[in-house]
Amino acid sequence: MDRIFEKAIESAAYITERNSFYPEIALILGTGLGGLTELLTEKVVIPYRKIPYFPHSTVQSHSGELICGMLGGKSILVMSGRFHLYEGYSAQEVSFPVRVMQQLKIKDLIITNVSGGLNPHFMPGQIVAVRDHINLMPDNPLRGVNDERLGVRFPDMKYAYDPHKIKIAQNAAESIKYNLKEGIYVGLQGPNLETPAEYVYLRKIGGDMVGMSTVPEVLVAKHAEISTLVLSMISNQCFPVESIKETSVEDVIEVATKFTPQFVKLIFEVITRL
């Protein structure tokens, strides 16, 4: 994907022309978590297909809309639906919306996803604040000629997951009496779920959960100096091996839908504290 800087400017201009206020915070919503958009007021809905250079979401439960609105007294930009490598997009295409956020001058990003649980103490429905990741994806959105207008050539990843924001999330969780966990996310390409042997391997290398998204967006957010919080909901147990059950996308959506009210409540509390 060439001319990322120019394309992001054009996309941002299209969004700005259709929105009456500048968003302070951006959210990327994962599988089955679109219910958060119902809390937004003064909403402006922009289908992805109308935004210049935006990919189109092809995944079940991802509505494919950019929604601007107010939540908790803050102006919010919400991606209801995201993009994945397994859809056939490159890592640069998957993370392009974050480049648009950069041009919109957004400094705070909250990313959500649904993941498989590698930590045997994480049950389905558990929300986990991601403190680090292990990237096993085959493509990197920063690969290629670096455009210094977007960020430095070799961004340091120590604070890719902002520890200050994790602390805010922990405080927000305490206020609603929720036991928020922390863990390490492993990113794979998909679309197939992992084999039992792979789950064992991923746990041994330090993973607490595994999924097929998020990592490209986090890499670009760090490159763009956007402070990021990632909250992941466990959809199914993947370790130990005897706990594994065959899982479909319908099963994942069912779990996400069941626990979405708690997730939404937590995110609302986080936003009010940012």
Side-chain angles (χ1 to χ4, degrees):
M1 187 176 186
D2 58 357
R3 297 180 56 252
I4 294 176
F5 182 78
E6 290 78 11
K7 290 177 178 178
I9 288 177
E10 188 173 339
S11 296
Y14 182 90
I15 294 165
T16 301
E17 289 170 1
R18 284 150 183 81
N19 187 32
S20 59
F21 49 83
Y22 287 93
E24 305 170 63
I25 303 166
L27 283 84
I28 301 176
L29 300 181
T31 300
L33 301 175
L36 180 70
T37 61
E38 297 175 6
L39 296 182
L40 292 174
T41 60
E42 303 178 45
K43 289 193 288 190
V44 175
V45 180
I46 308 173
Y48 290 164
R49 66 180 183 276
K50 293 188 176 181
I51 304 173
Y53 309 113
F54 242 64
H56 300 166
S57 183
T58 67
V59 183
Q60 184 178 348
S61 87
H62 289 249
S63 64
E65 295 175 331
L66 195 70
I67 305 174
C68 306
M70 299 295 297
L71 182 66
K74 307 289 177 63
S75 54
I76 308 293
L77 179 74
V78 179
M79 284 184 62
S80 185
R82 57 143 56 86
F83 316 111
H84 308 79
L85 294 183
Y86 64 73
E87 294 177 80
Y89 293 120
S90 69
Q92 288 185 344
E93 290 172 318
V94 165
S95 57
F96 179 71
V98 182
R99 292 299 184 196
V100 177
M101 294 172 193
Q102 183 181 13
Q103 296 307 317
L104 291 170
K105 311 301 182 187
I106 288 172
K107 295 299 182 183
D108 295 308
L109 172 62
I110 300 173
I111 299 175
T112 72
N113 65 47
V114 176
S115 60
L118 299 170
N119 188 319
H121 300 293
F122 292 174
M123 298 296 107
Q126 174 66 54
I127 303 171
V128 185
V130 178
R131 68 170 183 269
D132 206 343
H133 75 231
I134 298 171
N135 183 10
L136 298 182
M137 292 184 172
D139 192 9
N140 189 307
L142 308 183
R143 187 172 64 87
V145 177
N146 187 62
D147 188 334
E148 292 291 334
R149 296 171 296 180
L150 297 173
V152 299
R153 169 75 281 187
F154 301 107
D156 186 277
M157 298 303 294
K158 182 175 181 180
Y159 297 118
Y161 298 84
D162 189 337
H164 175 64
K165 278 192 171 49
I166 293 175
K167 182 62 177 176
I168 290 174
Q170 290 288 8
N171 290 338
E174 289 175 11
S175 74
I176 59 173
K177 296 179 171 54
Y178 185 80
N179 184 19
L180 180 66
K181 305 291 187 179
E182 293 184 24
I184 296 172
Y185 180 88
V186 183
L188 296 176
Q189 176 178 249
N192 59 283
L193 302 186
E194 293 70 40
T195 67
E198 287 170 336
Y199 286 133
V200 172
Y201 163 71
L202 297 175
R203 180 59 182 162
K204 283 184 176 180
I205 66 173
D208 290 299
M209 51 215 151
V210 59
M212 306 171 192
S213 68
T214 302
V215 171
E217 295 100 311
V218 170
L219 292 174
V220 168
K222 189 64 169 69
H223 191 238
E225 298 184 350
I226 298 174
S227 173
T228 303
L229 170 70
V230 176
L231 297 172
S232 182
M233 180 189 289
I234 303 300
S235 63
N236 58 300
Q237 283 185 276
C238 304
F239 187 88
V241 171
E242 55 268 23
S243 300
I244 300 174
K245 297 179 181 178
E246 288 194 23
T247 302
S248 66
V249 67
E250 289 79 15
D251 296 330
V252 172
I253 293 171
E254 182 180 355
V255 172
T257 301
K258 178 180 178 181
F259 292 98
T260 286
Q262 190 73 61
F263 211 157
V264 168
K265 191 174 182 179
L266 175 60
I267 291 174
F268 179 84
E269 291 296 327
V270 170
I271 287 174
T272 60
R273 287 165 167 76
L274 289 179

